[in-house]
Amino acid sequence: GGDLQWRPGEDTPRVSIRSVQPLEQLAKRTRSRLIVDVDSARTPRAAAIEDLAALLLPSLGGRGEVILRMKLADGCIAAVSLGREYSIDGELRGSVERVAGVDSVELRAVSA
């Protein structure tokens, strides 16, 4: 946590830092949602889902939810929650983005 103070006549604000937390701890306590869009035209869905499952397994132990979205044959989009106990951070997002068949990944903060 910290404070930002901007005093009249000063060009830059003053920043006071009260505490610092490792990002890993913050990721475990913060509610977040990782939305993963899978494009079956590039890679079979089953292969993409298997790769995602292997990648996500070590990330258990947090408060983040992973949602998998897929376009169905009729054009509708199916959304499936893969669980709500993942520790999600920017590194995991980057790893998920590199999985073959993943079209896009969005990381959102979730309010209580």
Side-chain angles (χ1 to χ4, degrees), residues 21-39:
Q21 296 179 16
L23 286 176
E24 184 178 305
Q25 275 186 343
L26 192 59
K28 287 182 179 179
R29 290 199 335 260
T30 303
R31 296 209 29 90
S32 56
R33 183 173 290 140
L34 192 68
I35 301 169
V36 182
D37 289 308
V38 175
D39 181 1

Side-chain angles (χ1 to χ4, degrees), residues 44-63:
R45 283 187 194 145
I49 292 169
E50 284 179 23
D51 290 347
L52 282 171
L55 186 63
L56 292 171
L57 189 59
S59 298
L60 286 170
R63 298 184 63 213

Side-chain angles (χ1 to χ4, degrees), residues 52-109:
L52 282 171
L55 186 63
L56 292 171
L57 189 59
S59 298
L60 286 170
R63 298 184 63 213
E65 179 178 22
V66 176
I67 295 178
L68 183 67
R69 293 192 305 200
M70 298 171 273
K71 188 178 282 187
L72 303 176
D74 62 3
C76 292
I77 295 177
V80 179
S81 175
L82 300 181
R84 295 183 172 156
E85 57 280 332
Y86 295 99
S87 180
I88 301 172
D89 57 18
E91 185 177 335
L92 179 63
R93 177 188 177 173
S95 297
V96 169
E97 284 178 326
R98 292 187 291 277
V99 169
V102 170
D103 190 40
S104 67
V105 180
E106 181 181 350
L107 179 57
R108 296 181 185 172

